[in-house]
């Protein structure tokens, strides 16, 4: 698990920082809309690097092709927004809430990742401390959540949340209340941790 987490973290970080058109910003940033004059457009891949600050995306009624961000701080994503692809690397915490959907997401928050509310994602969540999915949020198959800290790391599935895939906290604690649903599948790990080798598998619902 540790090796898989390292691969996921390195690949995500490099993909964002080496993306074409990366826009460098500093200090706390809050985006309410996408301004094409700033190089941000829903029709094309957006990549930003925020140094020494937090990032808040509070967008309404918009569909975004691809959004990537490397942030030296915390990240909050909310609003009524759909991402085809969402990639976030944060040295602090990441919170996704509201009416947010993503066809494919890769999210790393070194201190924590929280997904709550009417959120629907598929992909990977990674933290070196805590991951929480709650308040009816859904992680669709194939999804992976890895809370890989070495001390007191915790992964929580709460409040009618649904997780389809593999949710683990090696050497830590997995908490799931009676209302949460875990459709466990170790197959979900294969596309994320096979060192870029192509993997093909099918899933049959029972």
């Amino acid at each position: 698990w540790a090796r898989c987490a390292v691969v996921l973290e390195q690949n995500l970080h490099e993909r964002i920082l080496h993306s074409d058109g990366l826009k460098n910003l500093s200090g706390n940033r809050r985006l309410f809309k996408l301004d094409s004059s700033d190089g941000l457009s829903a029709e094309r891949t957006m990549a930003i690097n925020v140094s020494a600050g937090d990032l808040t995306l509070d967008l309404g009624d918009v569909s975004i092709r691809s959004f990537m961000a490397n942030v030296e701080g915390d990240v909050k994503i909310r609003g009524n927004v759909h991402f085809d692809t969402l990639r976030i690397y944060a040295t602090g915490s990441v919170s996704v809430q509201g009416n947010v959907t993503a066809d494919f997401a890769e999210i790393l928050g070194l201190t924590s990742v929280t997904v709550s509310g009417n959120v629907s994602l598929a992909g990977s969540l990674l933290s070196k401390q805590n991951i929480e999915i709650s308040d009816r949020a859904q992680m669709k198959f194939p999804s992976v959540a890895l809370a890989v800290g070495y001390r007191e790391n915790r992964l929580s599935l709460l409040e009618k949340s649904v997780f389809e895939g593999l949710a683990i906290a090696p050497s830590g604690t997995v908490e799931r209340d009676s209302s949460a649903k875990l459709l466990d599948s170790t197959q979900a790990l294969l596309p994320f941790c096979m060192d870029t080798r192509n993997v093909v598998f099918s899933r049959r619902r029972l």
Side-chain angles (χ1 to χ4, degrees):
W1 306 120
R3 181 175 179 275
C4 177
V6 169
V7 170
L8 288 172
E9 179 180 353
Q10 290 179 343
N11 288 347
L12 175 60
H13 203 213
E14 291 175 3
R15 184 187 293 269
I16 296 172
L17 293 180
H18 295 159
S19 56
D20 293 335
L22 180 69
K23 185 175 181 62
N24 291 300
L25 306 170
S26 62
N28 294 335
R29 296 287 170 161
R30 188 167 186 175
L31 301 179
F32 293 99
K33 64 179 181 178
L34 303 178
D35 191 340
S36 59
S37 65
D38 290 333
L40 303 177
S41 169
E43 288 75 31
R44 62 172 181 258
T45 297
M46 291 177 285
I48 62 175
N49 178 52
V50 180
S51 59
D54 302 331
L55 172 66
T56 298
L57 293 180
D58 198 347
L59 304 172
D61 296 319
V62 65
S63 181
I64 297 174
R65 179 182 175 186
S66 177
F67 184 87
M68 296 185 283
N70 178 72
V71 180
E72 294 179 355
D74 300 332
V75 175
K76 295 180 181 179
I77 301 174
R78 57 197 180 204
N80 184 23
V81 57
H82 170 80
F83 299 92
D84 289 350
T85 302
L86 173 65
R87 291 184 170 95
I88 301 293
Y89 186 108
T91 60
S93 64
V94 178
S95 172
V96 184
Q97 58 185 159
N99 297 304
V100 178
T101 62
D103 296 334
F104 180 75
E106 290 181 297
I107 297 174
L108 179 145
L110 291 181
T111 59
S112 69
V113 175
T114 304
V115 179
S116 63
N118 191 30
V119 175
S120 178
L121 311 174
S124 64
L125 307 178
L126 179 64
S127 177
K128 293 188 176 180
Q129 293 187 26
N130 301 312
I131 295 175
E132 180 180 300
I133 299 133
S134 62
D135 192 19
R136 302 178 186 269
Q138 297 184 39
M139 292 295 299
K140 296 184 176 181
F141 183 86
S143 288
V144 170
L146 297 173
V148 293
Y150 297 105
R151 291 181 293 178
E152 300 182 355
N153 51 308
R154 177 182 294 270
L155 193 152
S156 303
L157 303 175
L158 308 169
E159 302 165 350
K160 298 184 178 181
S161 61
V162 177
F163 194 97
E164 301 181 11
L166 184 65
I168 59 174
S171 303
T173 303
V174 175
E175 175 188 9
R176 177 164 67 99
D177 69 21
S178 59
S179 68
K181 185 179 295 185
L182 174 61
L183 304 177
D184 189 28
S185 174
T186 56
Q187 281 187 322
L189 188 65
L190 295 177
F192 299 101
C193 299
M194 292 297 289
D195 294 333
T196 70
R197 285 175 286 179
N198 292 330
V199 176
V200 178
F201 62 88
S202 61
R203 184 188 189 207
R204 181 166 61 105
R205 289 184 177 272
L206 301 178

Coordinates of all heavy atoms in Angstrom, one line a residue, residues 103-167:
D103 N -16.3 13.0 -13.5 CA -16.2 11.7 -14.1 C -15.0 11.0 -13.7 O -15.0 9.7 -13.5 CB -16.2 11.9 -15.7 CG -17.5 12.5 -16.2 OD1 -18.5 12.3 -15.5 OD2 -17.5 13.1 -17.3
F104 N -13.9 11.7 -13.5 CA -12.6 11.1 -13.0 C -11.9 12.1 -12.1 O -11.7 13.3 -12.5 CB -11.7 10.7 -14.1 CG -10.4 10.1 -13.6 CD1 -10.4 8.8 -13.1 CD2 -9.2 10.8 -13.7 CE1 -9.2 8.2 -12.6 CE2 -8.1 10.2 -13.2 CZ -8.0 9.0 -12.7
A105 N -11.5 11.7 -10.9 CA -10.9 12.6 -10.0 C -9.7 12.0 -9.4 O -9.7 10.8 -9.1 CB -11.9 13.1 -8.9
E106 N -8.6 12.7 -9.2 CA -7.5 12.3 -8.4 C -7.2 13.5 -7.4 O -6.9 14.6 -7.8 CB -6.2 12.2 -9.3 CG -6.3 11.0 -10.2 CD -5.0 10.8 -11.0 OE1 -4.7 11.7 -11.8 OE2 -4.3 9.8 -10.9
I107 N -7.4 13.1 -6.1 CA -7.4 14.2 -5.1 C -6.4 13.7 -4.0 O -6.6 12.6 -3.4 CB -8.8 14.5 -4.5 CG1 -9.7 15.0 -5.6 CG2 -8.7 15.4 -3.4 CD1 -11.1 15.2 -5.2
L108 N -5.5 14.6 -3.7 CA -4.6 14.3 -2.6 C -4.5 15.5 -1.6 O -4.3 16.6 -2.1 CB -3.1 14.0 -3.1 CG -2.1 13.7 -2.0 CD1 -1.1 12.7 -2.4 CD2 -1.4 15.0 -1.5
G109 N -4.8 15.3 -0.4 CA -4.7 16.3 0.7 C -3.8 15.7 1.7 O -4.2 14.7 2.4
L110 N -2.6 16.2 1.9 CA -1.7 15.5 2.8 C -2.2 15.4 4.2 O -2.0 14.4 4.9 CB -0.4 16.3 2.8 CG 0.5 16.2 1.5 CD1 1.8 17.0 1.7 CD2 0.7 14.8 1.1
T111 N -3.0 16.4 4.7 CA -3.5 16.3 6.1 C -4.9 15.7 6.1 O -5.2 15.0 7.0 CB -3.6 17.7 6.7 OG1 -4.4 18.6 6.0 CG2 -2.2 18.3 6.8
S112 N -5.7 16.0 5.1 CA -7.1 15.3 5.1 C -7.7 15.6 3.7 O -7.5 16.5 3.0 CB -7.9 15.9 6.2 OG -8.3 17.2 6.0
V113 N -8.7 14.7 3.5 CA -9.6 14.8 2.3 C -11.0 14.6 2.8 O -11.3 13.5 3.5 CB -9.3 13.8 1.2 CG1 -10.3 13.9 0.1 CG2 -7.9 14.1 0.6
T114 N -11.9 15.5 2.6 CA -13.3 15.4 3.0 C -14.2 15.5 1.8 O -14.1 16.5 1.1 CB -13.7 16.4 4.1 OG1 -12.8 16.3 5.2 CG2 -15.1 16.3 4.5
V115 N -15.1 14.6 1.6 CA -16.1 14.6 0.5 C -17.5 14.5 1.2 O -17.8 13.5 1.8 CB -15.9 13.5 -0.5 CG1 -16.9 13.5 -1.6 CG2 -14.5 13.6 -1.1
S116 N -18.4 15.5 1.0 CA -19.6 15.5 1.6 C -20.7 16.2 0.8 O -20.4 17.0 0.0 CB -19.5 16.2 3.0 OG -19.2 17.5 2.9
G117 N -22.0 15.8 1.1 CA -23.1 16.4 0.5 C -23.4 15.7 -0.8 O -23.1 14.6 -1.0
N118 N -24.0 16.5 -1.7 CA -24.5 15.9 -3.0 C -23.3 15.9 -4.0 O -23.4 16.4 -5.1 CB -25.6 16.7 -3.6 CG -26.3 16.1 -4.7 OD1 -26.4 14.9 -4.8 ND2 -26.9 16.9 -5.6
V119 N -22.3 15.2 -3.6 CA -21.1 15.0 -4.4 C -21.0 13.6 -5.0 O -21.3 12.6 -4.3 CB -19.8 15.3 -3.6 CG1 -18.5 15.1 -4.4 CG2 -19.8 16.7 -3.1
S120 N -20.6 13.5 -6.3 CA -20.4 12.3 -6.9 C -19.2 12.3 -7.7 O -19.0 13.0 -8.7 CB -21.6 12.0 -7.9 OG -21.5 10.8 -8.5
L121 N -18.2 11.4 -7.3 CA -16.9 11.3 -8.0 C -16.6 9.9 -8.3 O -17.1 8.9 -7.7 CB -15.8 11.9 -7.0 CG -16.0 13.2 -6.3 CD1 -14.9 13.5 -5.4 CD2 -16.1 14.3 -7.4
A122 N -15.6 9.7 -9.2 CA -15.0 8.4 -9.4 C -13.5 8.6 -9.6 O -13.1 9.5 -10.3 CB -15.6 7.7 -10.6
G123 N -12.7 7.8 -8.9 CA -11.3 8.0 -9.0 C -10.6 7.7 -7.7 O -10.9 6.7 -7.0
S124 N -9.6 8.5 -7.3 CA -8.8 8.2 -6.1 C -8.7 9.3 -5.2 O -8.7 10.5 -5.6 CB -7.3 7.8 -6.6 OG -6.7 8.9 -7.2
L125 N -8.8 9.0 -3.9 CA -8.6 9.9 -2.8 C -7.4 9.4 -2.0 O -7.3 8.3 -1.6 CB -9.8 10.0 -1.9 CG -11.2 10.2 -2.5 CD1 -12.3 10.2 -1.5 CD2 -11.2 11.6 -3.2
L126 N -6.5 10.3 -1.7 CA -5.3 9.9 -1.0 C -4.9 11.0 0.1 O -5.0 12.2 -0.1 CB -4.1 9.8 -1.9 CG -2.7 9.4 -1.4 CD1 -2.7 8.0 -0.8 CD2 -1.7 9.5 -2.5
S127 N -4.6 10.5 1.3 CA -4.2 11.4 2.4 C -3.2 10.6 3.3 O -3.3 9.4 3.4 CB -5.3 11.9 3.2 OG -4.9 12.7 4.3
K128 N -2.3 11.4 3.9 CA -1.3 10.8 4.8 C -1.9 10.8 6.2 O -1.2 10.4 7.2 CB 0.0 11.5 4.7 CG 0.7 11.2 3.4 CD 2.1 11.7 3.4 CE 2.8 11.3 2.0 NZ 4.2 11.8 2.0
Q129 N -3.1 11.3 6.4 CA -3.8 11.3 7.7 C -5.2 10.8 7.6 O -5.4 9.6 7.9 CB -3.7 12.7 8.3 CG -2.3 13.1 8.7 CD -2.2 14.4 9.5 OE1 -3.1 14.8 10.2 NE2 -1.1 15.2 9.3
N130 N -6.1 11.6 7.2 CA -7.6 11.3 7.3 C -8.3 11.5 6.0 O -8.1 12.5 5.3 CB -8.2 12.0 8.5 CG -7.6 11.8 9.8 OD1 -7.3 10.7 10.2 ND2 -7.3 12.9 10.5
I131 N -9.3 10.6 5.8 CA -10.2 10.7 4.7 C -11.6 10.5 5.3 O -11.8 9.5 6.0 CB -9.9 9.7 3.6 CG1 -8.6 10.0 2.9 CG2 -11.1 9.7 2.5 CD1 -8.2 8.9 1.9
E132 N -12.5 11.4 4.9 CA -13.9 11.2 5.3 C -14.9 11.4 4.2 O -14.8 12.4 3.5 CB -14.3 12.2 6.4 CG -15.7 12.1 7.0 CD -16.0 13.0 8.1 OE1 -15.4 13.0 9.1 OE2 -17.0 13.9 7.9
I133 N -15.8 10.5 4.0 CA -16.9 10.6 3.0 C -18.2 10.5 3.7 O -18.4 9.5 4.5 CB -16.8 9.4 1.9 CG1 -15.4 9.5 1.2 CG2 -17.9 9.5 0.9 CD1 -14.7 8.3 1.1
S134 N -19.0 11.5 3.6 CA -20.2 11.6 4.5 C -21.3 12.4 3.8 O -21.2 12.9 2.7 CB -19.8 12.3 5.8 OG -19.4 13.6 5.6
D135 N -22.5 12.4 4.5 CA -23.6 13.1 4.1 C -24.1 12.8 2.7 O -24.3 13.7 1.9 CB -23.3 14.6 4.3 CG -24.6 15.5 4.2 OD1 -25.7 15.0 4.3 OD2 -24.5 16.7 3.9
R136 N -24.3 11.5 2.4 CA -24.8 11.0 1.1 C -23.9 11.2 -0.1 O -24.3 11.0 -1.2 CB -26.2 11.7 0.8 CG -27.2 11.5 1.8 CD -28.5 12.2 1.5 NE -29.5 12.2 2.5 CZ -30.4 11.2 2.7 NH1 -30.5 10.3 1.8 NH2 -31.3 11.2 3.7
A137 N -22.6 11.5 0.2 CA -21.7 11.6 -0.9 C -21.4 10.3 -1.5 O -21.5 9.2 -0.9 CB -20.4 12.2 -0.5
Q138 N -21.1 10.2 -2.8 CA -20.9 9.0 -3.5 C -19.5 8.9 -4.2 O -19.2 9.9 -4.9 CB -22.0 8.8 -4.6 CG -23.4 8.7 -4.0 CD -24.4 8.3 -5.1 OE1 -24.1 7.6 -6.0 NE2 -25.6 8.9 -5.0
M139 N -18.8 7.8 -4.0 CA -17.6 7.5 -4.8 C -18.0 6.3 -5.7 O -18.2 5.2 -5.2 CB -16.5 7.2 -3.9 CG -16.0 8.4 -3.1 SD -15.3 9.7 -4.1 CE -13.9 8.9 -4.9
K140 N -18.0 6.5 -7.0 CA -18.4 5.5 -7.9 C -17.3 4.6 -8.3 O -16.1 5.0 -8.3 CB -19.2 6.1 -9.1 CG -20.4 6.8 -8.7 CD -21.2 7.4 -9.9 CE -22.5 8.0 -9.5 NZ -23.2 8.5 -10.7
F141 N -17.6 3.4 -8.7 CA -16.7 2.4 -9.2 C -16.1 2.8 -10.5 O -16.8 3.3 -11.4 CB -17.4 1.0 -9.4 CG -16.4 -0.1 -9.7 CD1 -15.7 -0.8 -8.8 CD2 -16.2 -0.4 -11.1 CE1 -14.9 -1.8 -9.1 CE2 -15.4 -1.4 -11.4 CZ -14.7 -2.1 -10.5
P142 N -14.8 2.6 -10.7 CA -13.8 2.1 -9.8 C -13.2 3.3 -9.0 O -12.6 4.2 -9.6 CB -12.7 1.5 -10.6 CG -12.7 2.3 -11.9 CD -14.1 2.8 -12.1
S143 N -13.3 3.2 -7.7 CA -12.7 4.3 -6.8 C -11.8 3.6 -5.8 O -12.0 2.5 -5.4 CB -13.7 5.1 -6.1 OG -14.4 6.0 -7.0
V144 N -10.8 4.4 -5.4 CA -9.8 4.0 -4.3 C -9.6 5.1 -3.3 O -9.5 6.2 -3.7 CB -8.4 3.6 -4.9 CG1 -7.4 3.4 -3.8 CG2 -8.6 2.4 -5.8
A145 N -9.7 4.8 -2.1 CA -9.4 5.7 -1.0 C -8.3 5.1 -0.1 O -8.5 4.1 0.5 CB -10.6 6.1 -0.2
L146 N -7.2 5.8 0.0 CA -6.1 5.3 0.8 C -5.7 6.4 1.9 O -5.2 7.5 1.5 CB -4.8 5.1 -0.1 CG -5.0 4.0 -1.1 CD1 -3.7 4.0 -2.0 CD2 -5.1 2.6 -0.5
A147 N -5.9 6.1 3.1 CA -5.4 6.9 4.2 C -4.2 6.2 4.8 O -4.2 5.2 5.5 CB -6.5 7.1 5.3
V148 N -3.0 6.7 4.4 CA -1.8 5.9 4.5 C -0.8 6.5 5.6 O 0.4 6.3 5.5 CB -1.0 5.8 3.2 CG1 -1.8 4.9 2.2 CG2 -0.8 7.2 2.5
G149 N -1.3 7.3 6.5 CA -0.4 7.8 7.5 C 0.1 6.7 8.4 O -0.4 5.5 8.4
Y150 N 1.1 7.0 9.2 CA 1.8 6.0 10.0 C 1.3 6.1 11.5 O 1.6 5.2 12.2 CB 3.3 6.1 9.9 CG 3.8 5.9 8.5 CD1 4.2 7.0 7.7 CD2 3.9 4.6 8.0 CE1 4.7 6.8 6.5 CE2 4.3 4.4 6.7 CZ 4.7 5.5 5.9 OH 5.2 5.3 4.7
R151 N 0.6 7.1 11.8 CA 0.1 7.2 13.2 C -1.3 7.8 13.1 O -1.5 8.9 12.6 CB 1.0 8.1 14.0 CG 2.3 7.5 14.3 CD 3.2 8.4 15.2 NE 3.5 9.7 14.4 CZ 4.2 10.7 15.0 NH1 4.6 10.6 16.2 NH2 4.6 11.7 14.3
E152 N -2.3 7.1 13.7 CA -3.6 7.6 13.9 C -4.3 8.0 12.6 O -5.2 8.9 12.6 CB -3.7 8.7 14.9 CG -3.1 8.4 16.3 CD -3.2 9.5 17.3 OE1 -3.6 10.6 16.8 OE2 -2.9 9.3 18.4
N153 N -4.0 7.4 11.5 CA -4.7 7.7 10.2 C -6.1 7.0 10.3 O -6.2 5.9 10.8 CB -3.9 7.2 9.0 CG -3.4 5.8 9.1 OD1 -2.8 5.4 10.1 ND2 -3.7 5.0 8.1
R154 N -7.0 7.7 9.7 CA -8.4 7.2 9.8 C -9.1 7.4 8.4 O -9.0 8.4 7.8 CB -9.2 7.9 10.9 CG -10.6 7.5 11.0 CD -11.3 8.3 12.1 NE -10.8 8.0 13.4 CZ -11.3 7.0 14.2 NH1 -12.3 6.3 13.8 NH2 -10.7 6.7 15.4
L155 N -9.9 6.4 8.0 CA -10.8 6.5 6.9 C -12.3 6.3 7.4 O -12.5 5.3 8.0 CB -10.5 5.5 5.8 CG -11.1 5.7 4.4 CD1 -10.2 5.2 3.3 CD2 -12.5 5.1 4.4
S156 N -13.1 7.3 7.1 CA -14.5 7.2 7.7 C -15.5 7.3 6.5 O -15.5 8.2 5.6 CB -14.7 8.4 8.6 OG -13.8 8.4 9.7
L157 N -16.5 6.4 6.6 CA -17.6 6.4 5.7 C -18.9 6.6 6.6 O -19.2 5.7 7.4 CB -17.7 5.0 4.9 CG -16.5 4.6 4.1 CD1 -16.7 3.3 3.5 CD2 -16.3 5.7 3.0
L158 N -19.6 7.7 6.4 CA -20.6 8.1 7.4 C -21.8 8.6 6.7 O -21.8 9.0 5.5 CB -20.1 9.2 8.3 CG -18.7 8.9 9.0 CD1 -18.2 10.1 9.7 CD2 -18.9 7.8 10.0
E159 N -23.0 8.6 7.4 CA -24.2 9.4 7.0 C -24.7 9.1 5.6 O -24.8 10.0 4.8 CB -23.9 10.9 7.2 CG -23.5 11.3 8.6 CD -22.9 12.7 8.7 OE1 -22.6 13.3 7.6 OE2 -22.7 13.2 9.8
K160 N -24.9 7.8 5.3 CA -25.5 7.4 4.1 C -24.7 7.6 2.9 O -25.1 7.7 1.7 CB -26.9 8.0 3.9 CG -27.9 7.7 4.9 CD -29.3 8.2 4.6 CE -30.3 7.8 5.7 NZ -31.7 8.4 5.4
S161 N -23.4 7.7 3.1 CA -22.4 7.8 1.9 C -22.3 6.4 1.3 O -22.6 5.4 1.9 CB -21.1 8.3 2.4 OG -20.5 7.3 3.3
V162 N -21.9 6.4 0.0 CA -21.8 5.2 -0.8 C -20.4 5.2 -1.4 O -19.9 6.2 -2.0 CB -22.8 5.1 -1.9 CG1 -22.6 3.9 -2.8 CG2 -24.2 5.2 -1.3
F163 N -19.7 4.1 -1.2 CA -18.3 3.9 -1.8 C -18.3 2.6 -2.5 O -18.5 1.6 -2.0 CB -17.3 3.9 -0.7 CG -15.9 4.1 -1.2 CD1 -15.3 5.4 -1.2 CD2 -15.1 3.1 -1.7 CE1 -14.0 5.6 -1.7 CE2 -13.9 3.2 -2.2 CZ -13.3 4.5 -2.2
E164 N -17.9 2.7 -3.8 CA -17.8 1.6 -4.7 C -16.3 1.4 -5.1 O -15.9 2.1 -6.0 CB -18.7 1.7 -5.9 CG -20.2 1.9 -5.6 CD -21.0 2.0 -6.9 OE1 -20.5 1.8 -8.0 OE2 -22.2 2.4 -6.8
G165 N -15.7 0.5 -4.4 CA -14.3 0.3 -4.7 C -13.5 -0.2 -3.5 O -14.0 -1.0 -2.7
L166 N -12.3 0.3 -3.3 CA -11.4 -0.1 -2.2 C -11.1 1.0 -1.3 O -10.6 2.0 -1.8 CB -10.1 -0.7 -2.8 CG -9.2 -1.3 -1.7 CD1 -9.8 -2.5 -1.0 CD2 -7.9 -1.7 -2.4
A167 N -11.5 0.9 0.0 CA -11.3 2.0 0.9 C -10.5 1.4 2.1 O -11.1 0.5 2.8 CB -12.7 2.6 1.4

